[in-house]
Amino acid sequence: MSSPTTSSSILPGAPQLAYRPDGLYLEEVNLDALARKHGTPLFVYSKAAMLAALAAYQQGFAGRNAQICYAMKANSSLGVLQVFARAGCGFDIVSGGELERVLAAGGEVGKVIFSGVGKTRAEMKQALAAGIGCFNVESEAELAVLSEVALSMSKIAPVSIRVNPNVDPKTHPYISTGLKGNKFGVAHEDALRIYKYAASLEGLKVVGIDCHIGSQITEATPYLDAMDRVLDLVAGIEASGIAIEHIDFGGGLGINYNEDAPPTADALWRELLAKLDARGYGGRKLMVEPGRSLVGNAGVCLTEVLYLKPGEQKNFCVIDAAMNDLPRPAMYQAFHAIVPVVQQRATSSAVYDVVGPVCESGDWIGRDRTLAVAAGDRLAVLSAGAYCMSMASNYNTRGRAAEILVDGTQAHLIRARETAADTFRGEKLLP
Ligand SMILES: *Cc1c(COP(=O)(O)O)cnc(C)c1O
């Protein structure tokens, strides 16, 4: 890291995060001051960064009939949902709980689509009663149950079927979802038959087709291949007399964690729309379900160095954030950049494994990081806006962190830090 000048952005693609002489800022907010006021670990998100990420999609779809549904499992905090709801986004949900969050945040229920392989009857009822826009169905068995549930309520459920284009998104196996042999979607070769079955069920109305091939995708090719495969199916399904009103290409666009170079959303969609136009589907209603690419680089997690623990083979930097706050390294060996909140030029640097206090060897946040730190210093874990707080747990009875949403010079507390009492609320002592 070069020494601070007046202002230097430290993460390509995240201009809202920059060093100034007195430390790291997100928009116009000094992060060290924020950490001192609210304690650590502390998630801080930039509203401007979220809206800029959304704008890249909006620019990509300018002049088209398109709907962006934020895949809210990436970060489902109400304050974050409000930002997207106010900007006109729809939401891609995967549970009845997420539907309640959309409603609590003022989201438009007609723009909600419901994904996931295991929707319960209760969740189907809840979503039908609310009047969501579309069920993205993942199996024949689910079609049958959804039709039955809809008829029992004298309703017709709008459905899209998630097809599995069998393309390799070239990402981590745990976040690759469009290949044969994983649990998502219906096989390409079964899709036409299953569409005919859906069209025959009285409680359903076919409205669309969808796919989602994986996450943290950093190239356009898998998307282009998937689009070809999906359009082939649309042609076949429509030839059999079933109209497809919308085509949903899923989410999955990657972000820059560590010298990753994904295309921007508008560049990706320029390429995809060229293909769509060439194949004659450019006027169709389009949907996308981005999650990570809307919020991932809008957030950081601030943490304090508790202890430095030099060792024979490894030096450890023990911080107060852990795998329960930042689960991605433990789950997917994922990389988050870790930088000092205030650059300490006096301290000499060493190579550390940055680890949390949780009693698991898997509780590491970064490996072999060169840091100039002392106990009491604060660090920022970058790219922490997606799949961090929404995956956080109370393991080791650690309360979940507080969250702040920054808007210019303002810092809004959008989630209070959980207390120990919060973590065992609902538990009952034996008589
Ligand atoms: C998770 C998910 C998304 C969002 O994926 P990102 O990689 O966060 O963009 C979109 N659609 C479906 C069905 C998903 O499961």
Side-chain angles (χ1 to χ4, degrees):
M1 199 63 52
S2 59
S3 58
T5 53
T6 45
S7 174
S8 53
S9 176
I10 55 167
L11 188 68
Q16 294 77 12
L17 186 67
Y19 279 114
R20 295 185 190 179
D22 56 342
L24 194 58
Y25 277 68
L26 190 60
E27 298 193 27
E28 300 300 316
V29 174
N30 179 312
L31 292 179
D32 204 48
L34 206 61
R36 261 183 274 120
K37 179 170 175 193
H38 294 278
T40 50
L42 181 69
F43 284 93
V44 192
Y45 310 119
S46 158
K47 179 182 169 189
M50 291 181 210
L51 291 178
L54 177 63
Y57 281 94
Q58 290 166 330
Q59 278 154 26
F61 291 122
R64 305 281 176 157
N65 179 9
Q67 182 178 314
I68 300 163
C69 291
Y70 167 51
M72 61 180 280
K73 71 179 191 287
N75 186 326
S76 54
S77 299
L78 296 181
V80 171
L81 301 186
Q82 281 181 298
V83 171
F84 291 113
R86 288 174 185 173
C89 272
F91 295 91
D92 177 20
I93 65 168
V94 291
S95 71
E98 286 196 343
L99 177 55
E100 289 195 36
R101 283 187 173 271
V102 169
L103 298 174
E108 224 180 292
V109 74
K111 289 186 185 169
V112 170
I113 57 179
F114 192 170
S115 300
V117 292
K119 303 173 192 78
T120 65
R121 285 166 195 264
E123 287 174 321
M124 290 173 178
K125 273 192 188 150
Q126 179 192 353
L128 282 164
I132 68 161
C134 188
F135 289 83
N136 287 3
V137 174
E138 305 220 13
S139 65
E140 281 176 275
E142 184 191 338
L143 285 172
V145 171
L146 180 58
S147 177
E148 192 187 304
V149 171
L151 288 176
S152 77
M153 299 170 72
S154 305
K155 288 190 183 285
I156 305 287
V159 297
S160 164
I161 296 175
R162 176 167 173 179
V163 298
N164 201 329
N166 198 29
V167 301
D168 184 356
K170 301 190 179 68
T171 183
H172 190 284
Y174 280 15
I175 50 178
S176 145
T177 55
L179 278 168
K180 279 186 185 177
N182 75 49
K183 69 179 180 182
F184 299 103
V186 308
H188 190 271
E189 51 274 26
D190 298 333
L192 179 56
R193 181 178 56 78
I194 296 175
Y195 262 95
K196 288 178 180 165
Y197 174 61
S200 77
L201 293 173
E202 272 173 53
L204 306 183
K205 177 177 195 296
V206 171
V207 296
I209 189 167
D210 63 285
C211 72
H212 172 69
I213 55 175
S215 201
Q216 187 53 19
I217 300 168
T218 54
E219 306 170 32
T221 316
Y223 282 104
L224 290 161
D225 294 347
M227 176 175 274
D228 267 327
R229 305 271 292 163
V230 170
L231 295 182
D232 292 346
L233 284 177
V234 173
I237 294 162
E238 295 200 321
S240 80
I242 302 166
I244 301 289
E245 289 166 24
H246 76 250
I247 310 176
D248 173 351
F249 293 100
L253 180 58
I255 61 169
N256 175 37
Y257 285 102
N258 181 28
E259 295 170 16
D260 307 295
T264 60
D266 48 331
L268 174 67
W269 276 94
R270 258 195 305 281
E271 269 188 80
L272 286 167
L273 288 167
K275 178 184 281 294
L276 211 58
D277 288 341
R279 292 198 55 175
Y281 292 96
R284 200 62 65 111
K285 178 169 184 189
L286 307 175
M287 311 232 285
V288 284
E289 309 164 352
R292 185 191 315 271
S293 55
L294 291 182
V295 290
N297 272 339
V300 299
C301 180
L302 306 181
T303 176
E304 186 176 307
V305 175
L306 298 175
Y307 303 104
L308 295 180
K309 190 176 170 188
E312 240 172 69
Q313 296 191 349
K314 287 263 184 192
N315 299 316
F316 292 100
C317 171
V318 184
I319 59 174
D320 66 358
M323 64 186 286
N324 72 299
D325 307 296
L326 296 159
R328 298 184 60 260
M331 278 185 79
Y332 324 110
Q333 290 94 46
F335 181 95
H336 287 277
I338 303 172
V339 301
V341 171
V342 178
Q343 290 162 306
Q344 313 283 356
R345 271 156 296 177
T347 320
S348 65
S349 68
V351 177
Y352 296 99
D353 273 13
V354 179
V355 301
V358 163
C359 301
E360 294 280 345
S361 295
D363 182 25
W364 56 276
I365 305 300
R367 287 197 163 135
D368 299 323
R369 303 301 175 87
T370 303
L371 292 166
V373 280
D377 287 355
R378 294 186 186 89
L379 298 172
V381 179
L382 307 189
S383 312
Y387 301 110
C388 292
M389 178 53 96
S390 60
M391 284 185 162
S393 77
N394 293 125
Y395 188 39
N396 281 207
T397 306
R398 289 170 52 87
R400 283 177 301 167
E403 292 181 297
I404 303 280
L405 193 130
V406 158
D407 182 6
T409 57
Q410 294 190 24
H412 304 286
L413 181 69
I414 60 167
R415 182 194 298 263
R417 186 174 303 286
E418 255 177 346
T419 64
D422 290 334
T423 69
F424 54 76
R425 187 174 66 88
E427 293 183 44
K428 305 276 183 240
L429 291 170
L430 291 172

